[in-house]
């Protein structure tokens, strides 16, 4: 019989931000893909104002892992308790707390207390699990601190929008086209090269070389989690467009009796350091927001157009029946 071992860890960072602003970022997990470098997608399953439950996909030690977390939120005390349900071996239990303390007006401290229980019979794997937990903790603290310190202009730096198209055809070939990123060069106007690898079926890593509007090219890299039965592909560009600090979103194929609606939702965070380079020196954030909305929207439409043609191909349609 193996003996379980408990690891207790504590981390803290100070931020030049009000405690309320920092707590809001901790509490709203839906925005974590923009602020936490390792987080690809978060989906809230339940929330009653006090307790919530969410699924998070995050890069852990080079592997995209899924975790299911239950939390209790205390807004008055600026404290969040959390516990992971059914953690991956060799972890048998994982939980802890986030706490935000006000140090002085405009200054606050974020503390993460974490406790993980490990199967003592799997020493090598246990060591890697502890290292992943520590790396993830520091990444989360750093990302939340950086976001909080921009609290006065964070709304201006984030842009959310959606592109959609109506297709009179079956859903299967449309989803097949969106899934097959490696087939996009020569079909999608701005994609010059595409490489795709799968950690496991439906969990993809992508690398694209894209054509910019000035004729130059730039690379992007990303992670995608695909849900064929639901017609969804969630994504995060871990190396986004040069104007962006972060970019996450979702492709969705929704069938009905007469066809499908295909949409792409985007959540982006502007890179302040790049705003002055495009759309021109001295550009204001409002102009940069419009420019990014135009560029990213155009790229989405460039994918949707051949997806429409692909769905209308009679050969593809017959294959999808």
């Amino acid at each position: 019989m193996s003996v379980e071992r408990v690891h207790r860890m504590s981390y803290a960072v100070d931020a030049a931000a009000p405690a309320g602003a920092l707590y809001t970022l901790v509490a709203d997990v839906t925005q974590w893909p923009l602020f936490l470098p390792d987080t690809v997608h978060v989906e809230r399953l339940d929330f009653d104002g006090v307790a919530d439950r969410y699924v998070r996909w995050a890069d852990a030690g080079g592997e995209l892992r899924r975790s299911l977390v239950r939390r209790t939120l205390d807004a008055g005390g600026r404290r969040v308790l959390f516990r992971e349900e059914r953690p991956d071996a060799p972890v048998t239990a994982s939980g802890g707390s986030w706490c935000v303390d006000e140090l002085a007006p405009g200054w606050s401290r974020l503390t993460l207390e974490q406790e993980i229980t490990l199967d003592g019979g799997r020493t090598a794997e246990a060591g890697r699990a502890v290292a992943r937990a520590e790396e993830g903790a520091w990444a989360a603290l750093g990302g939340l601190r950086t976001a909080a310190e921009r609290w006065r202009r964070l709304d201006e730096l984030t842009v959310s929008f959606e592109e959609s198209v109506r297709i009179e055809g079956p859903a299967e070939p449309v989803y097949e086209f969106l899934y097959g990123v490696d087939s996009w060069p020569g079909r999608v106007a701005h994609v010059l090269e595409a490489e795709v690898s799968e950690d496991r079926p439906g969990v993809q890593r992508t690398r694209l070389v894209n054509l910019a509007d000035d004729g130059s090219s730039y690379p992007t890299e990303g992670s995608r989690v695909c849900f064929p039965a639901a017609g969804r592909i969630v994504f995060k560009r871990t190396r986004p467009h040069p104007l962006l600090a972060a970019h996450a979103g979702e492709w969705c194929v929704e069938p009905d009796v007469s066809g499908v609606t295909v949409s792409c939702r985007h959540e982006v965070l502007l890179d302040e350091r790049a705003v002055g380079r495009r759309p021109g020196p001295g550009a204001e954030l409002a102009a940069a927001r419009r420019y990014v909305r135009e560029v990213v929207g155009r790229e989405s439409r460039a994918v949707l157009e051949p997806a429409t043609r692909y769905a209308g191909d009679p050969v593809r349609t017959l294959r999808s029946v």
Side-chain angles (χ1 to χ4, degrees):
M1 179 181 295
S2 63
V3 178
E4 292 187 325
R5 295 183 296 168
V6 178
H7 287 258
R8 296 181 177 87
M9 297 163 281
S10 180
Y11 317 87
V13 294
D14 294 348
L22 186 52
Y23 174 80
T24 298
L25 291 168
V26 173
D28 187 4
V29 291
T30 63
Q31 291 294 300
W32 282 10
L34 290 184
F35 306 132
L36 274 58
D38 64 337
T39 301
V40 172
H41 178 67
V42 176
E43 191 156 333
R44 222 172 202 169
L45 304 177
D46 307 295
F47 183 49
D48 62 8
V50 175
D52 73 355
R53 186 166 171 260
Y54 65 86
V55 176
R56 177 184 178 217
W57 290 86
D59 194 313
E63 181 182 354
L64 210 58
R65 290 174 174 258
R66 175 185 181 274
S67 57
L68 182 60
V69 180
R70 188 179 296 275
R71 304 190 306 171
T72 302
L73 294 85
D74 176 8
R78 293 192 291 267
R79 183 177 176 85
V80 178
L81 303 179
F82 65 89
R83 180 151 302 276
E84 183 178 353
E85 300 180 4
R86 301 188 298 276
D88 293 334
V91 179
T92 59
S94 176
S97 66
W98 295 93
C99 186
V100 180
D101 295 304
E102 184 178 17
L103 302 178
W107 280 90
S108 54
R109 174 169 296 159
L110 175 60
T111 303
L112 171 59
E113 303 280 351
Q114 196 167 7
E115 179 177 296
I116 59 176
T117 304
L118 299 152
D119 182 345
R122 306 172 70 167
T123 306
E125 292 181 36
R128 288 192 292 271
V130 171
R132 284 196 301 268
E134 292 180 341
E135 182 180 1
W138 284 119
L141 288 165
L144 292 169
R145 175 178 60 187
T146 298
E149 290 182 338
R150 301 172 179 169
W151 69 278
R152 292 183 184 276
R153 58 195 184 282
L154 202 54
D155 286 346
E156 293 181 279
L157 291 171
T158 55
V159 185
S160 302
F161 62 94
E162 182 176 297
E163 297 284 345
S164 64
V165 66
R166 176 74 184 165
I167 300 175
E168 295 183 2
E172 291 83 354
V174 177
Y175 190 88
E176 179 184 345
F177 182 83
L178 296 176
Y179 187 94
V181 177
D182 53 351
S183 72
W184 289 5
R187 290 175 165 175
V188 177
H190 66 278
V191 178
L192 303 177
E193 300 176 19
E195 299 175 9
V196 182
S197 61
E198 292 198 343
D199 292 352
R200 53 191 180 278
V203 179
Q204 300 178 330
R205 307 276 186 169
T206 64
R207 184 183 183 279
L208 306 181
V209 177
N210 307 275
L211 182 66
D213 52 6
D214 63 0
S216 63
S217 63
Y218 64 92
T220 59
E221 297 175 5
S223 297
R224 309 201 317 166
V225 184
C226 307
F227 306 96
R232 300 173 62 208
I233 299 174
V234 298
F235 66 86
K236 178 175 178 176
R237 285 188 172 179
T238 51
R239 183 180 182 179
H241 185 283
L243 284 178
L244 303 178
H247 181 184
E250 175 180 348
W251 291 98
C252 186
V253 181
E254 299 179 276
D256 56 41
V257 293
S258 60
V260 294
T261 299
V262 189
S263 59
C264 187
R265 177 182 55 81
H266 297 277
E267 303 281 344
V268 303
L269 177 66
L270 297 177
D271 183 347
E272 288 184 280
R273 297 167 299 179
V275 165
R277 296 198 296 268
R278 292 182 183 176
E284 298 294 334
L285 281 177
R289 287 168 59 89
R290 289 193 297 270
Y291 182 78
V292 165
R293 171 68 177 85
E294 176 189 344
V295 170
V296 177
R298 184 170 64 241
E299 291 184 351
S300 292
R301 293 190 297 273
V303 176
L304 292 172
E305 289 168 5
T308 302
R309 294 193 298 272
Y310 194 80
D313 184 333
V315 176
R316 295 293 178 185
T317 301
L318 287 171
R319 285 180 56 190
S320 67
V321 170

